[in-house]
Amino acid sequence: MGSVWGNTIKISVFGESHGGGIGVVVDGFPAGIPYDETFILSEAARRAPGKNKQSTARREADQPKVLSGIYLGRTTGTPISVVIENTDTRSRDYQNLGDQPRPGHADYTGSVRYHGCNDPRGGGHFSGRLTAPLVFAGALCKLYLKSQGVTVGAHIQSIAQIQDTPFDDITVDAAQLDKLRLQAYPVINPRAESAMLAAIEDARLAGDSVGGVLECAAVGLPAGLGSPMFDTVEGRIASLLYGVPAVKGIEFGAGFAFAALRGSHANDAFCLEDGAVRTETNNNGGVLGGITNGMPLIVRACIKPTPSISRAQETLNVSDGTMQPLTIHGRHDPCIVTRAAPVVEAAVAIALADLLTEAKGYA
């Protein structure tokens, strides 16, 4: 099973979408970090379903029950385990998936990988529901990162080709990231929000879905985190982001735009600012040679349209080999992007916390 991750801070995510509950064990987390329950619950609420027309009608309280690792309001240094109950399941909507795997879903690949023993209800272990414990682990890591002067935050860069104002990769700061976190729809340009919501509603009324891109930044990082060549900052972050269902593309800094640049424009010239080494531009997104350079870290994650759509599709019946119509029932988001910012932030925060504790160990 591939649901364990980490070098110094290790996480193990467990559960299925329609099982009794989901959860995470966080091992190697530093002792003595104050457990801010209000912050933890607010992070869970940002991801939680059932709040508006842009998300699934499934309603889950997502109240984490901490079983170990927290004592007298502080982390103990021993494994932190948490369970989140599933309370609003409707498994009958998934009864036909054994014969007709949903297009764009892991029903078929999961069945092949686990010899038909996988739990298909609501996507089972492949469901976006499993991002709830990831957000819990990410919230813990944000608390640790804050104690080290590091802030992680994200905004919706685009939905259905409608673009928000991008981060300024030189001046983005903790105040801006903290402000975005308090917004129901984290965008920099308010006009982009109304256009995005209109596009989502058009897709919902058509029984369809849309995707988008989330841009995440981390500020306050020291230079020197990460190791070449298979343990790079980009590699560690990407390995977690690709564990998030629906993430199909990742880029750092200028990313694929590098292909259109000359080296004279792509290079980030070094300079001295207030006694600290900085770069005049930040095309490389705060990472050189797989190692942080002290500039803001910039990463973007592409989220594909929700594959569960209500409009009829033609797909294979694997039992008899014929093509048959499929109508997907259940409750699904017409756009996952609006709830995914805290998930992307969590993945980045966990990776950075792991890198930071590892660096402090060998410093």
Side-chain angles (χ1 to χ4, degrees), residues 56-298:
T56 171
R58 180 175 177 176
R59 293 184 178 275
E60 295 284 0
D62 282 355
Q63 291 287 324
K65 181 180 180 181
V66 177
L67 304 180
S68 67
I70 308 293
Y71 182 66
L72 297 179
R74 291 182 179 272
T75 58
T76 64
T78 55
I80 301 167
S81 59
V82 63
V83 172
I84 302 170
E85 292 184 352
N86 292 326
T87 60
D88 186 20
T89 59
R90 207 164 69 187
S91 301
R92 64 182 180 276
D93 293 330
Y94 301 90
Q95 291 176 348
N96 64 330
L97 299 185
D99 292 333
Q100 282 188 289
R102 294 168 293 176
H105 266 284
D107 300 331
Y108 171 70
T109 53
S111 178
V112 173
R113 171 67 177 83
Y114 296 109
H115 315 293
C117 297
N118 58 299
D119 182 350
R121 300 170 302 167
H125 193 68
F126 300 95
S127 171
R129 178 85 183 121
L130 273 295
T131 60
L134 189 70
V135 166
F136 175 88
L140 280 177
C141 289
K142 284 182 181 180
L143 292 174
Y144 168 68
L145 290 173
K146 273 288 189 182
S147 74
Q148 303 297 309
V150 179
T151 302
V152 177
H155 75 112
I156 302 170
Q157 178 172 301
S158 69
I159 286 178
Q161 301 185 40
I162 298 161
Q163 300 288 325
D164 186 25
T165 303
F167 282 137
D168 184 314
D169 56 16
I170 297 290
T171 64
V172 59
D173 59 17
Q176 182 182 18
L177 300 181
D178 288 337
K179 180 181 177 182
L180 284 166
R181 180 185 166 274
L182 299 177
Q183 298 176 200
Y185 297 98
V187 294
I188 297 170
N189 182 353
R191 288 183 293 181
E193 177 184 328
S194 57
M196 290 174 180
L197 295 181
I200 296 170
E201 182 65 4
D202 286 345
R204 187 184 72 85
L205 294 175
D208 219 325
S209 62
V210 291
V213 174
L214 288 156
E215 183 178 43
C216 185
V219 298
L221 285 169
L225 301 182
S227 301
M229 54 187 288
F230 301 126
D231 222 7
T232 64
V233 171
E234 298 105 322
R236 297 274 276 275
I237 292 174
S239 68
L240 266 174
L241 282 173
Y242 276 127
V244 176
V247 170
K248 297 299 286 186
I250 295 169
E251 66 175 9
F252 291 83
F256 282 94
F258 273 123
L261 299 177
R262 289 191 173 187
S264 55
H265 292 154
N267 290 343
D268 300 317
F270 289 100
C271 62
L272 201 62
E273 185 178 296
D274 298 327
V277 176
R278 306 279 289 173
T279 57
E280 293 181 352
T281 55
N282 193 17
N283 292 317
N284 288 279
V287 184
L288 291 168
I291 301 169
T292 56
N293 64 5
M295 296 296 289
L297 185 145
I298 305 292

Side-chain angles (χ1 to χ4, degrees), residues 3-51:
S3 296
V4 179
W5 183 96
N7 287 357
T8 54
I9 295 178
K10 296 179 173 64
I11 64 168
S12 176
V13 176
F14 62 88
E16 288 85 30
S17 179
H18 285 210
I22 51 180
V24 63
V25 176
V26 183
D27 196 7
F29 193 83
I33 303 300
Y35 180 72
D36 187 341
E37 185 177 34
T38 300
F39 175 76
I40 298 285
L41 293 178
S42 68
E43 288 291 277
R46 293 174 65 203
R47 192 220 68 93
K51 293 182 292 187

